[in-house]
Amino acid sequence: MVNILSPINIFKREPKLRLLFVASEAAPFIKVGGLGEVMRSLPKALRALGHDARVFLPKYATIDLEKYPLRLELEDLRPAPSEEEDPHGLFISNVLRYDNDSGETIAYFLENMEYYEKRANVYGYTDDAIRWALLSRATPEFLRHSSWRPDVIIAADWQSGLIPNYFHTIYKEDRKLSAIATVFSIHNLFFQAMFDHHFVSEMDYDSGREEIPGFNDPRLSKLNFMRRGIMYADVINTVSPTYSQEITTAEYGEGLHELLSERRSRLSGILNGIDTDIYNPETDSDIQFHYSIKTLDLKTKNKSVLQQKFNLSVRSDVPLFGIVSRLTDQKGFGLLMDAAEPLLENFNMQLVVVGSGEGHFMTFFQELAKKYPQKVGIHLSYDEVLSHTVYAGADAIIIPSRFEPSGLTQMEAMRYGTVPIVRKTGGLADSVVDYDPANKIGTGFVFEKFDHRAFYGAMVRVIETYRYPEFWRDIQKRAMKADFSWTKSAREYVELFKKAIEYHVLG
Ligand code: GLC
């Protein structure tokens, strides 16, 4: 008998997954922080693996329509309320879509005048509960009308926490939607709802079991969206293995550790990656002198550029530290408040700070720059281009976070041979290996205790090591070689999605 290989077998490939990410931000359309970056680069990496990954987000007024022309996908979507609940039609929305240069649809936008279009910012409105409930409810409503339907929906952070809840309740029996599995992704457990969950009275406590109230019902803003996402999703993931463990403890669990422990078998952590096309010192158009691991000497030229930009003395022998961050308590800047002056007094070092945040940190850095003008430079607002200037020009980057679900800056900086100093927590612990001169290993400097003395000690280690250029060079090279491309993590996500589908079938 002739053995004919069945073409089906030859070309047997894994079935392509259809995936819809729902989030409050996604680069390049809109980016406030790390979440936005991940919502660009993870779907992109999944598409490169052959999957059909799209994002769904609000159509903010600030989205550059010239760069990203949008087309109408669906008109007059009525996401929920009955006519009595929405007499002025405020919730009626459109869905727009964006196709990339290859003609693939990669993003959908929820267009609503009242709740997104009229607002200058992404976050921070008193009716945010309504704004995010609207996005969450519009997701199934849109999909009911759409011919494209995902196998899995990935809801990110509290803003889309109601999605798993809606799917598990109202849409459970829906003929078109009931097969869709849900994943809830925790990028930051600290933010759970409209309110600060640390101060919830017993009366306002949301067990997550009550029905979701209507958009205009004041009880909506009392819901803990994050808890509901965790409760109702088929699987839950966080953005690093260490953080996924940490959040099952009282110290890091932000009041949800018991729930997370209960759902432990559904919980996992996958370290974020970075877009190595964008963060690449060989091609980055935001930096002045391109370099690679082989031409690391050229990094010094970028250092001079950075020093000049911040009016610091131009010296190559002094270690230049960078901070590129939201200036919030999470990021650990309290440690600098105690340690920065003694460091600046005792050592020859320089510091540049790029980012904005809480007032007391802004004031602190302003005063530091005033007191040490040759040594400290500040730019207290977020600036994407400048952040690349810092990656290219600084010797080291400081990330002393109290907690850090993943953290991207340490990985981005390492790509530029900028050595990270991090606290051993969350994704920082998973991405930086502490320098050990005896064994010639390490990609950065790691300290464990959240304590200014531990931080000070790590800084002294860095400054001392910097005095030995050959050792320093080896650390830089190891950091640059570390592989943080998305491919590996994207494959882990594919396994996670399959698990979600399996669990969903089991019910
Ligand atoms: C949040 C976390 C950060 C993480 C980012 C993207 O901003 O605080 O650690 O890298 O989300 O997942």
Side-chain angles (χ1 to χ4, degrees), residues 33 69 83 112 118 122 181 189 193 251 253 289 305 506:
E83 221 132 302
N112 180 288
K118 279 188 185 168
V122 174
L189 196 61
E251 189 185 350
F289 299 97
V305 172
L506 292 175

Side-chain angles (χ1 to χ4, degrees), residues 221-240:
S221 61
K222 309 277 187 203
L223 298 193
N224 187 322
F225 286 40
M226 179 67 94
R227 180 196 302 278
R228 286 171 180 258
I230 296 168
M231 280 175 71
Y232 293 107
D234 292 306
V235 300
I236 307 128
N237 85 294
T238 68
V239 284
S240 70

Side-chain angles (χ1 to χ4, degrees), residues 193-212:
M194 280 293 292
F195 47 85
D196 184 337
H197 62 273
H198 297 98
F199 306 102
V200 177
S201 72
E202 223 164 284
M203 222 177 70
D204 286 337
Y205 177 82
D206 174 29
S207 72
R209 293 200 182 84
E210 310 284 313
E211 201 180 304
I212 301 173

Side-chain angles (χ1 to χ4, degrees), residues 467-484:
R467 291 173 50 216
Y468 301 93
E470 23 355 322
F471 293 155
W472 187 260
R473 184 55 51 98
D474 286 346
I475 304 172
Q476 286 182 299
K477 285 188 177 166
R478 284 192 293 268
M480 286 178 96
K481 278 191 202 145
D483 180 7
F484 297 119

Side-chain angles (χ1 to χ4, degrees), residues 25 33-39 157 186-189 191 238-240 243 270 272 326 330-331 401 403-411 427-428 486 493:
E25 46 178 297
L35 171 66
E37 189 58 41
V38 172
M39 286 301 117
D157 271 353
I186 302 171
H187 291 258
N188 195 335
L189 196 61
F191 303 104
T238 68
V239 284
S240 70
Y243 191 61
I270 302 174
N272 281 335
R326 282 184 287 125
Q330 173 199 340
K331 299 290 177 178
S401 305
F403 68 94
E404 195 61 79
S406 162
L408 299 171
T409 38
Q410 78 278 15
M411 302 188 229
L428 298 172
W486 262 107
Y493 268 99

Side-chain angles (χ1 to χ4, degrees), residues 88-113:
H88 307 296
L90 294 182
F91 297 110
I92 300 174
S93 310
N94 297 324
V95 177
L96 312 177
R97 80 166 200 275
Y98 173 72
D99 300 341
N100 66 10
D101 294 340
S102 328
E104 303 161 306
T105 298
I106 63 163
Y108 295 109
F109 298 84
L110 185 65
E111 183 181 53
N112 180 288
M113 186 49 79

